[in-house]
Amino acid sequence: MTQKVAVLGTGKIGEALLSGMIRGGWAPSDLLVTARRPERAAQLHERYGVEAVSNAEAAAAADTLILTVKPQDMGTLLTELAPHVPADRLVISGAAGIPTSFFEERLAAGTPVVRVMTNTPALVDEAMSVISAGTHATGTHLTRAEEIFSGVGKTLRVPESQQDACTALSGSGPAYFFFLVEAMTDAGILLGLPRDKAHDLIVQAAIGAAVMLRDSGEHPVTLRENVTSPAGTTINAIRELENHGVRAALIAALEAARDRSRELASGNG
């Protein structure tokens, strides 16, 4: 791995990505970071042995620039970077809702841009990073993005037109599971269990179910039916979930998240 990569605006996700790259075999000498606060830059240098530089220096020195600032700060960053980014640099955006055209309009003509939507399980190397090519990005550029983001989990290529749906389903997805665990823990307390025991029971059930979904090859309906015996406890619970419209509520929630991603992309923040 001789390519030099710079992570710009290194917050939690940026740091998780940096850490995953190093564990995956990238040399700290091939990695650069930028941070808004000097003390944060010093912390990253001390923690990972990477060089902390300015945004302009990163643009001049790195072959690949990974932009991890917040979406509302991306325009300002691109204004700063534009004079320093040659058209042969690969620019990877990790900002939710911002299309590759936003970058292409502000950078040198022909600059390859790859859009990546990852999620917070990157912090524990279990992310799903969804990767899309801009107008000038090639298969080689997509492969480079996959090499970088595979250090923190799985990757999936999709057309950019599907990014808003992926944001709703996967980018926001962990929050839905956290919400469900929170609700089920409260139910456990209502049923007479201490909070810590209810929490442990639900978390382990979630982990076990996720591993079965990933490894068994079975459809989720089959797995659910295997737990659902006639006139048993599970079918009574499933009936109540259906009576309260939980399935319909989930579909509506994901549509709302998709629509909000489209609003952000159009600048209606």
Side-chain angles (χ1 to χ4, degrees), residues 15-29:
E15 183 176 358
L17 184 59
L18 180 71
S19 176
M21 291 175 69
I22 292 172
R23 289 193 303 279
W26 293 77
S29 58

Side-chain angles (χ1 to χ4, degrees), residues 5 8 12 31 33 49 95 99-100 113 119 122 133 137 143 154 170 172 180 183 185 188-189 192 201 235 238 260 262:
V5 176
L8 282 67
K12 286 186 177 179
L31 302 174
V33 296
T100 55
V113 180
N119 55 16
T143 298
K154 295 182 179 297
S170 181
S172 301
L180 182 61
T185 301
I189 295 168
L201 288 167
I235 193 60
I238 296 294
R260 179 56 178 157
R262 288 177 175 172

Side-chain angles (χ1 to χ4, degrees), residues 204-220 222-227:
Q204 187 57 39
I207 292 170
V211 172
M212 291 178 72
L213 282 166
R214 185 190 65 191
D215 296 347
S216 70
E218 298 283 357
H219 192 281
T222 302
L223 293 173
R224 178 179 61 76
E225 288 177 344
N226 290 341
V227 188

Side-chain angles (χ1 to χ4, degrees), residues 37 44 105 123 139 153:
R37 295 179 291 108
L44 291 167
E105 292 164 1
L123 299 170

